Amino acid sequence: MRTKITIALCMLSGAVNAAQSDFSWHGYVSQGITQSQGSSFITDNDAVTAELTEIGLNGYYRLAENISIAGQVNYLDGGNRFEQGTRLDYLFIDWKIPELAFGWKAQVHIGRYKNRHWLYSVTRDVPQTRYTSVLPQSVYFDGFRDVALGSNGIQTSFSHFSTNNIWEVNWSYGRSAINDSQRDFLLGNEARGKIKQEFVHQASVFWQPSSMKWKLGASWLNSDFTYSPAQQDNRLAGNSNVERIMLTAQYFAENWEISSELLRETQDNEGLFAPNFARKTRGEGGFVQVRYIFNSEFSGLIGYDTYVSDESDPDGKKLEAMSGGTIPAYFGYQDTVTLGARWDIAPKWRLQGEYHWVEGATRVVSLLNNNVASHADKRWEMWSLQLMYKF
C-alpha cells in the first residue's frame, strides 16, 4: 500500500509541472467529535473522541483529448469503524468515448476504479458529499469500507441522453486487497490467516426522465472470497460467495430530496469452521431518508435504516439458540433512526451534525468474536459533529 501511495503522489507531483489546462487538483480537511454510547461501534467505554478525521488530496491529469489519469490519497480516522491510516482510494486511467452507436457515450476506467453501482458509493470518500458521517449501515457498512469503495480492474459506463430519458449502464470486474481489520470483521479476531477476494463482478442500470426529478436504478454484485489459514489458526481453509441485488430510487423537488435503497444479499460459506461445513444465509434490508432544504445554507435530514442478517430469523432468536446463548438475539438485526443537519457557513466551509438511535447490533462486530455480546447493548446511540473545509 505504501508503494501505491508513493506512486500516486509522484504522479500528482509530476503533473504539477504540466500546463494548468491539463491538470487540476482539489482536497479537503474534516475534523469532528463523535461518540457511541452503549456500543463499541465508534468508541470504547462510551468515550467522546476526536477520532473523526478525514484528509484527502485528489488530482486529474489529461494525457490526451479523451484520456486522463485520476487519483486520490486519503487519511481516515473513524474510531473503531475502520482501520486508521492513509490509503489510496483510487487511481485509474479514464478513457472517454464520446460517440457510439445510437447516441450512446462511453467511459472506461482501468486501474483502481471507484464503485459507481450504488447511490452513494462513488461519493462516500469525500465528507462534503455525504449527508451524514455514518452512512446507512445496511448498504454501506463501515467495516468493509475500503473493499466496497473501489476495486482493481476495469469499469465501463455507458450513457444516453434523449429528449425524454437519461440512461446509465455500468459494468465492472476486479478485486480488492483485504487487510487484517476487514478479515476480523468477517471472521472474528481469532482468525490469523489471509482472506483473498478472488473477484467482484458488478452491473447496474439507472434511468431518469429529462426533468431529472426521479432516478430509478437496479444493481447486481457477485464476489468470491477464499481463506488460507495460518499454521496455528482457529479457522480452516474455506471459501465464500456473496451475491447482492439492490433497487434504488431518488426523488428531487425544489426543497425536498427523498432517497432509498433496498437490498437482498446471499452468502454461501464452505469450510472455515469444519471440513464439511456448508451454510447459506440470505440477509435483507435497506434505508429511506428525507432531506429538506430550508435555504441555501441550512438543510435537515431524517432517515430510517434496517437490516437482518438472516431473513428466516428476523428477530435473531434462532441465532441465540444456535450459539447456546453466547450471541444475543439482537445481534441478528439492526434498526436505526437518524436525524441530521448541515450548515454551509461559507462557500468552502460546512458544519454537519447527526444523531442515531439504534436497536440491534448485527453491523457492529463479527458474530464470530468470542466476546461478541460485550460489543453493544440492545439499544444504543451515536452522534457526531464535523467541521469541513474543501480547497
Side-chain angles (χ1 to χ4, degrees):
M1 179 60 69
R2 290 182 179 177
T3 301
K4 292 181 178 179
I5 293 170
T6 301
I7 293 173
L9 290 173
C10 289
M11 293 178 67
L12 292 175
S13 176
V16 171
N17 297 321
Q20 288 296 317
S21 59
D22 293 333
F23 175 74
S24 64
W25 65 278
H26 301 280
Y28 54 85
V29 177
S30 178
Q31 179 60 55
I33 55 173
T34 185
Q35 179 190 32
S36 57
Q37 305 171 71
S39 165
S40 62
F41 180 67
I42 299 177
T43 58
D44 297 319
N45 303 317
D46 293 349
V48 178
T49 178
E51 293 175 296
L52 186 58
T53 306
E54 298 180 65
I55 303 171
L57 180 65
N58 54 71
Y60 183 87
Y61 177 47
R62 188 176 65 179
L63 296 172
E65 184 177 357
N66 296 326
I67 300 177
S68 306
I69 295 177
Q72 175 171 289
V73 177
N74 183 298
Y75 172 81
L76 284 179
D77 185 4
N80 298 331
R81 289 191 290 146
F82 32 66
E83 187 177 35
Q84 176 188 355
T86 305
R87 63 261 284 153
L88 178 65
D89 272 342
Y90 60 89
L91 179 63
F92 57 82
I93 296 174
D94 177 11
W95 176 30
K96 294 181 174 66
I97 307 172
E99 293 295 336
L100 293 175
F102 307 107
W104 284 83
K105 299 180 179 180
Q107 193 170 14
V108 181
H109 292 166
I110 301 173
R112 178 159 181 78
Y113 58 83
K114 296 180 70 176
N115 180 1
R116 298 178 65 116
H117 302 283
W118 310 342
L119 200 58
Y120 301 122
S121 57
V122 77
T123 59
R124 68 182 295 185
D125 58 306
V126 179
Q128 284 84 354
T129 64
R130 299 193 307 263
Y131 297 148
T132 52
S133 298
V134 179
L135 289 170
Q137 293 297 289
S138 61
V139 178
Y140 303 95
F141 56 100
D142 286 326
F144 231 45
R145 181 260 187 201
D146 292 341
V147 175
L149 177 68
S151 302
N152 306 314
I154 183 171
Q155 178 169 255
T156 60
S157 180
F158 302 89
S159 58
H160 184 270
F161 296 81
S162 67
T163 304
N164 300 315
N165 301 289
I166 302 171
W167 288 94
E168 180 183 336
V169 180
N170 304 303
W171 171 88
S172 65
Y173 189 90
R175 68 173 63 173
S176 281
I178 299 179
N179 59 35
D180 289 348
S181 66
Q182 293 158 349
R183 176 202 63 195
D184 294 348
F185 181 87
L186 291 173
L187 295 179
N189 53 20
E190 285 194 325
R192 293 292 180 267
K194 297 293 183 182
I195 294 183
K196 180 181 179 181
Q197 184 180 48
E198 298 294 337
F199 70 87
V200 56
H201 191 185
Q202 296 191 76
S204 59
V205 58
F206 296 94
W207 169 82
Q208 287 182 280
S210 56
S211 66
M212 301 186 72
K213 288 188 175 181
W214 286 93
K215 183 175 183 179
L216 302 176
S219 66
W220 166 84
L221 176 150
N222 189 271
S223 184
D224 275 359
F225 300 84
T226 57
Y227 182 74
S228 300
Q231 288 186 347
Q232 295 183 345
D233 206 328
N234 288 322
R235 304 285 181 260
L236 303 177
N239 57 76
S240 177
N241 173 263
V242 177
E243 184 173 39
R244 172 186 281 198
I245 297 175
M246 288 176 46
L247 299 177
T248 298
Q250 273 187 308
Y251 173 72
F252 305 93
E254 183 177 358
N255 297 99
W256 292 93
E257 179 183 330
I258 303 174
S259 305
S260 180
E261 287 184 291
L262 304 176
L263 82 153
R264 172 171 284 186
E265 57 187 11
T266 302
Q267 188 171 127
D268 193 356
N269 297 313
E270 295 181 355
L272 298 173
F273 312 109
N276 298 319
F277 176 84
R279 187 178 182 220
K280 189 174 184 177
T281 58
R282 180 176 291 167
E284 60 183 11
F287 69 88
V288 59
Q289 56 186 21
V290 180
R291 179 177 174 235
Y292 184 77
I293 304 170
F294 296 98
N295 52 46
S296 60
E297 297 178 355
F298 295 96
S299 66
L301 177 140
I302 183 170
Y304 175 73
D305 180 39
T306 183
Y307 184 79
V308 296
S309 58
D310 186 349
E311 65 172 357
S312 67
D313 184 27
D315 55 9
K317 291 183 178 179
K318 294 180 182 178
L319 174 67
E320 185 172 21
M322 289 174 56
S323 69
T326 60
I327 303 177
Y330 62 84
F331 275 86
Y333 64 89
Q334 188 165 317
D335 299 325
T336 306
V337 175
T338 300
L339 287 179
R342 65 165 49 171
W343 174 27
D344 289 329
I345 304 170
K348 296 183 179 182
W349 290 90
R350 172 174 293 163
L351 183 64
Q352 185 165 286
E354 63 200 74
Y355 207 103
H356 306 259
W357 293 266
V358 188
E359 179 178 338
T362 194
R363 293 301 207 192
V364 171
V365 67
S366 172
L367 300 183
L368 302 175
N369 278 326
N370 282 337
N371 60 343
V372 60
S374 68
H375 282 77
D377 299 331
K378 182 176 182 179
R379 293 179 177 85
W380 54 282
E381 301 171 8
M382 56 182 168
W383 62 269
S384 69
L385 187 64
Q386 196 170 18
L387 181 65
M388 312 170 192
Y389 175 74
K390 60 182 179 180
F391 54 90

